[in-house]
Amino acid sequence: MVDEDGAPGALEEAAPSPRRTRDGLVLVGPSIRARYLPGALIGLPMVSLLLAPFVAAGLEQWRDARVAAGAGGPLVRLLEPMAAQMLLGWLLLWALLALWALVPMIATHRVVLLDEAAGTVRLRRGLRTGEPVPVSEVVYAVGEAERGYEALIGIGAPERPEDQAARQWRIPNIGWDDAGFDGLRALQSAAGLRAAPPRPVLLAEARRRRRADAHQEMAQRIGMPWREEYAHDEAAFQRDFDHARRVLGGKEPPSGGGG
């Protein structure tokens, strides 16, 4: 977990660029819009397209019943082609699923509002917003840069060290996007804590570490000695790894190199 002390000094730092409300408050965490739009505009239309034939069948039955009853109207005439039934069924199902996904997201959304001018923070849960707390009472603010992890913000009274982190706020999906994570970095700076590096830098470092771990496991499987330089030089690892495999296969003689 990335803490307020940040990552190693080799990682570059940049000024946070957080998302803000219309009133200029910094959002610590992703906004509802940021979390909702990708699913509503990409995922839900695809799901609706798969289920549209069932809705179209229901629309056709409704139209047949109206025609049998002698009723007409623009909608009955519009739904005569099968393509129109499919299109309307897709749109209706998309709208229904989008609404079904939005309501619980609004009800459970949790974010911290940082007022830099007033020096306060407030926790918003759903449609409720808590009382302002002086930013000086933030004793720690930590969070992962990757999606799926939450931020932990400790609230305590500075004049009573024994009561540090008397309250803890949990902000889900702090690593959802760069702007949401920059909100955490802005809070760290406002609270006098050292801001973590930017999210892209942390993600790149995490990918490098995972790649190095995978390479080390591959080297262990063939008995290849591991060198620290391999963690930062993928080309060197690949060269020595290929050589070690050729040695094991009898295609090359052993050498005093990396094999």
Side-chain angles (χ1 to χ4, degrees):
M1 180 171 284
V2 179
D3 59 21
E4 58 267 26
D5 293 331
L11 296 176
E12 297 181 359
E13 295 189 10
S17 300
R19 190 177 286 109
R20 296 178 181 270
T21 66
R22 295 179 180 178
D23 298 330
L25 304 181
V26 173
L27 286 177
V28 181
S31 64
I32 294 178
R33 178 186 178 90
R35 291 187 57 197
Y36 176 73
L37 285 184
L41 299 181
I42 300 176
L44 293 183
M46 297 178 64
V47 174
S48 301
L49 185 61
L50 295 176
L51 300 178
F54 299 99
V55 182
L59 291 174
E60 184 178 11
Q61 291 181 357
W62 174 84
R63 179 184 178 278
D64 291 343
R66 296 287 294 176
V67 171
L75 184 58
V76 173
R77 292 192 297 270
L78 178 65
L79 291 177
E80 183 176 358
M82 178 62 69
Q85 298 172 8
M86 286 289 296
L87 178 60
L88 183 58
W90 175 58
L91 293 175
L92 288 176
L93 189 57
W94 183 6
L96 179 62
L97 292 178
L99 181 62
W100 178 73
L102 179 61
V103 172
M105 183 174 292
I106 293 177
T108 60
H109 185 64
R110 183 176 297 190
V111 71
V112 169
L113 302 176
L114 168 63
D115 189 336
E116 295 175 305
T120 60
V121 290
R122 289 181 291 173
L123 177 63
R124 174 179 290 175
R125 302 177 182 177
L127 300 177
R128 297 179 301 173
T129 302
E131 294 296 324
V133 175
V135 74
S136 59
E137 294 190 11
V138 176
V139 294
Y140 63 81
V142 297
E144 289 280 0
E146 297 182 90
R147 288 190 176 186
Y149 293 93
E150 62 182 12
L152 302 179
I153 300 173
I155 306 296
E159 65 275 8
R160 293 184 298 175
E162 68 278 3
D163 292 339
Q164 282 195 355
R167 286 179 291 168
Q168 187 180 78
W169 294 347
R170 295 176 177 267
I171 309 301
N173 292 298
I174 190 64
W176 182 265
D177 57 12
D178 294 351
F181 191 77
D182 273 356
L184 177 64
R185 298 178 62 227
L187 174 60
Q188 291 171 337
S189 298
L193 309 172
R194 184 176 179 181
R199 180 171 176 264
V201 175
L202 296 178
L203 291 179
E205 176 66 11
R207 286 192 296 267
R208 185 197 65 78
R209 290 177 180 175
R210 286 195 296 267
R211 186 165 54 247
D213 291 342
H215 288 170
Q216 188 170 9
E217 183 178 353
M218 293 167 59
Q220 290 175 351
R221 289 180 179 178
I222 64 173
M224 170 183 164
W226 178 258
R227 296 179 177 178
E228 287 302 321
E229 65 180 286
Y230 295 154
H232 303 277
D233 191 343
E234 186 173 0
F237 167 79
Q238 195 63 51
R239 180 190 65 244
D240 292 345
F241 182 75
D242 290 342
H243 172 70
R245 287 193 303 173
R246 287 192 292 268
V247 170
L248 290 176
K251 297 181 179 180
E252 289 186 8
S255 66

